[in-house]
Amino acid sequence: MEQRLAPQALIDDTEKLIKLVLELKKQRNAVILVHNYQRPEMFRIADYIGDSLGLSVAAAKTDADVILFCGVKFMAETAKVLSPGKTVLLPTLDAGCSLADMATVGKLRQVKAQYPDAAVVSYVNTTADVKALSDICCTSANAVEVVNSLPHNQVIFLPDRNLGKYVQQHTDKEIILWDGYCFVHDKLDAETLMEFKQRYPDAKVIAHPECRDELLKLSDHICGTGGMAKFAKSDGSKNFIVVTECGMTDKLRQDVPEKNFLSFCNVCPYMKSTTLPLVVRSLMHNTHEITLPEEIIKGARKAIGRMLQISKNAA
Ligand code: 13P
Ligand code: SF4
């Protein structure tokens, strides 16, 4: 296969920008947290790279003065909730998440009134004010465990309907689904996956639980982004079809270079909106500092803290 090489000027610029970020990071006593879906060059400036759960744990633990988030806004908000005394930076406000925007406080109040005995489990892909109204948060890595830990028989699960359906298959509790979805995962289709499987019959399929059920049924392993490298390393297969956002294959190729990863994927424009020049600007001018009202921090902290406690108990 023909390899497309980046022009030398672009490579030089990237190297200069990385050097500058690393200098600024030291000057500001900053820590840079990077999600698995980010552009590959962002991995080179990271103090920690991981999934939503790992990033939350890292944000809670750091003793840096500044936390810079290369991810999306709800992740940076979670960092602010866990470390309210620190400066939390998000290099661009384009780094939103349309799934998180599908759950609003007004709608949640209505659903809660309809199901007064149900617990509210919010996926971390929600805004901080929705978390503050929730009993507990979860990520794709611990959603089943979180739901099964609750004494309630009914659970309002929001906002991802595909993850909610997946959880329903692993619990006896009644899951009240929210009609939200991640457009990146929801549009991945079973027909294309079938074609891939026919072309590469020995490849194992790893899928994110934000994908539709018919696709998950065709998969060998279902997990959040944090579990993908672990599975690829421990499984005996050489080839894997990765069913999630494209950036994950960059990360897998880096972490497990001895295996092959086929990209069955779409790009998340929110995740890809963070770039090295924006990180430089952010560290120089504090763009954009995340702030949250005190009562939202207090409420969201309870919900996130409960989730972290469960994951710690399981560790
Ligand atoms: P993970 O928690 O698996 O990293 O997923 C985050 C996300 O945004 C998936 O679309
Ligand atoms: Fe949100 Fe989907 Fe992008 Fe994840 S991949 S940040 S859920 S839009």
Side-chain angles (χ1 to χ4, degrees), residues 202-204 231-240 259-260:
D202 67 326
K204 289 264 171 79
F231 177 73
K233 270 184 201 156
S234 63
D235 190 81
S237 311
K238 179 89 178 145
N239 302 320
F240 298 87
K259 304 215 172 165
N260 303 317

Side-chain angles (χ1 to χ4, degrees), residues 1-249:
M1 207 167 67
E2 192 194 346
Q3 262 213 317
R4 276 192 293 153
L5 297 174
Q8 190 57 40
L10 206 62
I11 295 170
D12 291 347
D13 274 0
T14 302
E15 294 306 318
K16 276 185 205 147
L17 284 165
I18 288 172
K19 204 166 158 237
L20 184 54
V21 169
L22 297 178
E23 275 166 24
L24 288 166
K25 186 165 79 153
K26 211 187 255 173
Q27 277 170 28
R28 298 226 37 203
N29 187 25
V31 69
I32 299 186
L33 307 183
V34 177
H35 188 265
N36 289 320
Y37 290 163
Q38 289 284 295
R39 295 166 182 271
E41 64 270 27
M42 313 314 283
F43 301 150
R44 294 182 54 198
I45 58 167
D47 292 286
Y48 178 83
I49 309 169
D51 64 356
S52 305
L53 180 61
L55 291 167
S56 306
V57 173
K61 272 196 203 150
T62 181
D63 54 9
D65 296 324
V66 175
I67 300 175
L68 185 137
F69 233 100
C70 298
V72 289
K73 193 169 176 212
F74 71 79
M75 296 175 177
E77 283 188 348
T78 299
K80 186 67 186 174
V81 165
L82 293 170
S83 300
K86 297 187 193 302
T87 301
V88 177
L89 300 175
L90 185 71
T92 170
L93 295 179
D94 289 342
C97 168
S98 53
L99 170 61
D101 293 340
M102 286 175 188
T104 61
V105 163
K107 176 82 195 298
L108 179 54
R109 286 214 169 96
Q110 273 175 23
V111 180
K112 270 169 78 110
Q114 235 178 307
Y115 300 97
D117 297 330
V120 177
V121 177
S122 284
Y123 193 26
V124 281
N125 301 42
T126 44
T127 55
D129 54 354
V130 165
K131 287 186 178 81
L133 262 192
S134 307
D135 293 294
I136 188 165
C137 289
C138 73
T139 72
S140 55
N142 60 19
V144 172
E145 193 188 354
V146 163
V147 166
N148 282 330
S149 75
L150 298 168
H152 309 68
N153 295 322
Q154 264 187 336
V155 170
I156 301 166
F157 189 93
L158 67 146
D160 192 80
R161 62 183 180 216
N162 294 334
L163 180 60
K165 281 182 199 163
Y166 172 74
V167 170
Q168 182 66 88
Q169 290 162 20
H170 295 85
T171 184
D172 294 334
K173 298 178 195 297
E174 182 194 352
I175 304 292
I176 295 137
L177 295 174
W178 195 273
D179 197 19
Y181 60 92
C182 161
F183 76 102
V184 179
H185 289 87
D186 196 66
K187 75 176 175 203
L188 297 168
D189 66 290
E191 292 71 33
T192 314
L193 178 56
M194 276 312 292
E195 282 170 28
F196 258 90
K197 280 169 76 87
Q198 276 153 16
R199 276 172 62 193
Y200 306 98
D202 67 326
K204 289 264 171 79
V205 179
I206 313 176
H208 196 281
E210 285 177 16
C211 296
R212 284 171 183 255
D213 185 44
E214 61 263 30
L215 225 132
L216 297 183
K217 285 201 176 99
L218 295 169
S219 304
D220 296 291
H221 188 65
I222 300 162
C223 62
T225 63
M228 292 185 176
K230 226 187 269 175
F231 177 73
K233 270 184 201 156
S234 63
D235 190 81
S237 311
K238 179 89 178 145
N239 302 320
F240 298 87
I241 300 165
V242 184
V243 191
T244 187
E245 205 273 348
C246 263
M248 196 60 223
T249 38

